[in-house]
């Protein structure tokens, strides 16, 4: 056990984690020349296309240091704020972390939040200054920033370049000398933490675990503590580039387990595996439950695919435990699911994965957040409102509370004005402003979560020319004046387009929604009124004009009453058509509501 080291790599997005993982694999000889490729651990097509890590990947390496063989278990983590749940799970399975900072971009918001996660779990932090070979690198200044943040010495920081392989040997030496070996009792009953799982269509659910006490053998009878079910360990092994079956995985090591489970709901990430005959008395204190930030409805285009969509979502949930969903139905779209996501990028990725991996074409409704409503009847009872249509009638409503967040934005001093005006426009209140250096400022705001759901991140990047980094954490619910804005098409409410908005923004957004829908809804044989309403009060209206045939073309001269008669006849036909006519809403219309500022 003293020769095992478990560590992860944490950093802000695009600071070179995946490339550093590649170099470590090359240097330890874990990958043959034939298997080599850039960003080797990012195996998903989506990850490679976008150049981001979505899923944390575990891999084992062997390394000889001062004549002794060491086993290094590396878990690569994502850097985007939407995938911080993946990071928290990886950290729970490790004793040490490489904190990677880009020498050109310095410390960013996500670096700091991931660092706090690691420190809460008492991990040994090894600071690595990456990309020192870039012409724009500023290693001296960034080193001072790291020293201020961590309180370490300049000598502790390892200068490296993942592209050229500079400093890789020093990093491996630091992992072996500084990261503590796993502590655990080999003779105690089996106790292992599940930190990830993947669905394999041929072999069922593959569970990734870290053994804390005892050991797990092939064909052993095991039990999952949370579900209380027993299984036989058909195959256990370690995770190299491919899976390596073993007879036994001992204390402190990381491995995979195949039990032939076919039902996705039976494996809970964060659960404890123990021995069926001699179970452990205490489960592993798992990492925190996931808190979805953004809710949206996902519906199959064809209602008959509902069950298939459910199966696809369950398999996807295995691969991404931060996805939460419950069934719901909508008058406009039929049966579907109300899903919780960690942010807009997460929503986009899930939608894309459903289409690519499971061939499901889905409609996504307007994302919103979760509110608390209180009625006059019993003002102490909390009603959870995940969907605008769940909001009680305005006459019975006492108050509505919405979730607030503490937003931390780190930007260059030149863009402070732009960033502040954006946050104030989004109902933010500034709580703190700190100059980290003469050039870099950290701004703290209290903001409603609903305001950052849509386009906040994109607009922040625009106003700061890409120099601002953003991170947030929830700070609880606060009372707000919110109203429900409904969209009516041809006099009928479209529940999928309803939104809960602050009273100050309701008129503007209602007007913009009507204008946007007017562009997107195709013309019919009859006039389509598009209205935005608060309760019974219409606040904005646009009309999609009817397609008309020129019925008076055959009248040459003659009395005007002949023309009028034909037009009146046409008018009656249009009126009847409008009563029975049905307006189809294109998928773009649901998503366009998010891009009202474009």
């Amino acid at each position: 056990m003293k020769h095992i080291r478990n560590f992860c790599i944490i950093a802000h997005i695009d600071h070179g984690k995946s490339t550093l993982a590649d170099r470590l694999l090359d240097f330890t000889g874990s990958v043959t020349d034939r298997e080599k490729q850039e960003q080797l651990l990012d195996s998903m097509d989506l990850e490679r296309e976008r150049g981001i890590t979505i899923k944390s990947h575990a891999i084992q390496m062997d390394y000889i240091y001062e004549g002794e063989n060491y086993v290094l278990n590396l878990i690569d983590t994502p850097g985007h704020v939407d995938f911080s749940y993946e990071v928290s799970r990886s950290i729970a399975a490790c004793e040490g972390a490489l904190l990677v900072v880009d020498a050109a971009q310095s410390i960013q918001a996500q670096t700091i939040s991931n660092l706090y996660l690691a420190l809460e779990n008492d991990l040994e932090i090894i600071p690595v200054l990456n990309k020192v070979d870039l012409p724009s690198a500023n290693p001296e200044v960034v080193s001072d920033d790291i020293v201020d943040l961590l309180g370490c010495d300049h000598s502790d920081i390892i200068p490296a370049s993942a592209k050229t392989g500079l400093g890789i040997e020093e990093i491996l030496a630091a992992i072996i000398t500084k990261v503590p070996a796993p502590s655990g009792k080999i003779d105690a009953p089996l106790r292992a933490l599940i930190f990830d799982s993947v669905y394999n269509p041929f072999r069922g659910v593959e569970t990734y675990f870290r053994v804390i006490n005892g050991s797990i053998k092939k064909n052993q009878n095991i039990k999952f503590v949370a579900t209380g079910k027993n299984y036989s360990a058909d195959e256990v092994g370690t995770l190299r580039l491919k899976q390596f079956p073993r007879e036994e995985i001992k204390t402190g090591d990381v491995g995979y387990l195949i039990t032939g489970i076919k039902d996705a709901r039976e494996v809970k990430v964060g659960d404890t595996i123990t021995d069926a005959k001699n179970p452990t008395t205490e489960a592993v204190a798992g990492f925190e439950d996931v808190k979805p930030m953004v809710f949206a409805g996902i519906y199959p285009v064809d209602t008959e695919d509902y069950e298939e969509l459910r199966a696809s979502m369950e398999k996807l949930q295995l691969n991404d435990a931060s996805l939460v969903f419950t069934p719901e139905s909508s008058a406009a779209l039929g049966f579907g699911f109300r899903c919780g996501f960690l942010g807009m990028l997460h929503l986009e990725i899930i939608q894309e994965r459903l289409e690519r991996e499971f061939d499901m074409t889905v409609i996504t409704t307007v994302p919103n957040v979760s509110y608390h409503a209180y009625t006059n009847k019993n003002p102490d009872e909390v009603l959870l409102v995940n969907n605008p249509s769940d909001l009680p009638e305005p006459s019975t409503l006492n108050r509505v509370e919405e979730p607030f967040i503490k937003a931390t934005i780190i930007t260059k001093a030149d863009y402070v004005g732009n960033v502040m005006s954006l946050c104030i426009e989004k109902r933010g209140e500034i709580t703190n402003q700190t100059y980290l250096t003469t050039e870099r400022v950290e701004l703290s705001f209290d903001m409603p979560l609903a305001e950052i759901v849509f386009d906040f991140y994109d607009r922040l990047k625009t106003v700061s020319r890409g120099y601002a980094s953003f991170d947030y954490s929830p700070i609880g619910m606060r009372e707000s004046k919110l109203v429900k804005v409904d969209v009516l098409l041809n006099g009928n409410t479209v529940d999928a387009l309803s939104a809960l908005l602050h009273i100050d923004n309701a008129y503007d957004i209602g007007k913009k929604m009507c204008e946007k829908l007017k562009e997107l809804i195709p013309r019919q044989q009859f006039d389509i009124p598009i209205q935005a309403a608060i309760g019974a009060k219409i606040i904005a209206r646009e009309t999609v004009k009817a397609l008309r045939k020129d019925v008076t073309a055959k009248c040459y001269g003659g009395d005007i009453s002949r023309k009028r008669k034909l037009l009146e006849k046409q008018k009656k036909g249009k009126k009847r058509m409008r009563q029975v006519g049905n307006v189809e809403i294109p998928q773009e219309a649901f998503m366009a509501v998010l891009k009202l500022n474009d």
Side-chain angles (χ1 to χ4, degrees), residues 57 82 161 329 366 570:
H57 295 268
D82 278 11
S161 163
S329 62
V366 183
Q570 184 186 32

Side-chain angles (χ1 to χ4, degrees), residues 138-268:
N138 199 344
E140 290 79 18
V141 175
V142 180
S143 296
D144 292 344
D145 291 351
I146 296 175
V147 169
D148 290 347
L149 180 68
L150 282 178
C152 59
D153 293 330
H154 273 278
S155 56
D156 294 339
I157 301 170
I158 304 171
S161 163
K163 197 163 75 180
T164 59
L166 170 78
I168 299 298
E169 202 166 344
E170 289 80 354
I171 291 173
L172 284 164
I175 290 167
I176 287 166
T177 52
K178 291 184 180 173
V179 175
S183 58
K185 303 184 186 77
I186 294 182
D187 45 5
L190 167 65
R191 188 161 158 247
L193 167 76
I194 300 177
F195 67 87
D196 208 350
S197 56
V198 189
Y199 187 79
N200 179 331
F202 304 107
R203 310 190 67 183
V205 179
E206 296 175 359
T207 312
Y208 296 165
F209 62 87
R210 146 88 200 265
V211 183
I212 293 168
N213 286 339
S215 69
I216 183 166
K217 299 182 183 66
K218 190 179 172 179
N219 297 330
Q220 181 177 347
N221 274 339
I222 53 159
K223 178 179 168 187
F224 286 6
V225 174
T227 57
K229 297 200 172 179
N230 293 5
Y231 305 99
S232 162
D234 297 344
E235 186 181 305
V236 294
T238 51
L239 295 151
R240 298 294 166 105
L241 199 54
K242 297 188 175 61
Q243 295 173 336
F244 268 73
R246 294 276 167 88
E247 284 302 312
E248 184 178 20
I249 307 276
K250 296 190 173 143
T251 311
D253 215 345
V254 173
Y256 72 91
L257 160 74
I258 295 174
T259 51
I261 299 174
K262 285 287 189 285
D263 186 355
R265 286 167 297 197
E266 290 181 25
V267 180
K268 300 260 190 300

Side-chain angles (χ1 to χ4, degrees), residues 477-495:
M477 311 294 282
R478 293 187 188 176
E479 191 175 336
S480 289
K481 287 193 168 165
L482 297 171
V483 287
K484 179 175 147 202
V485 176
D486 288 317
V487 173
L488 289 82
L489 282 185
N490 202 5
N492 300 323
T493 308
V494 181
D495 57 355

Side-chain angles (χ1 to χ4, degrees), residues 556-568:
Y556 287 104
D559 196 332
I560 185 73
S561 59
R562 289 181 61 208
K563 284 188 179 177
R564 195 166 288 141
K565 187 177 161 194
L566 288 166
L567 287 168
E568 283 297 324

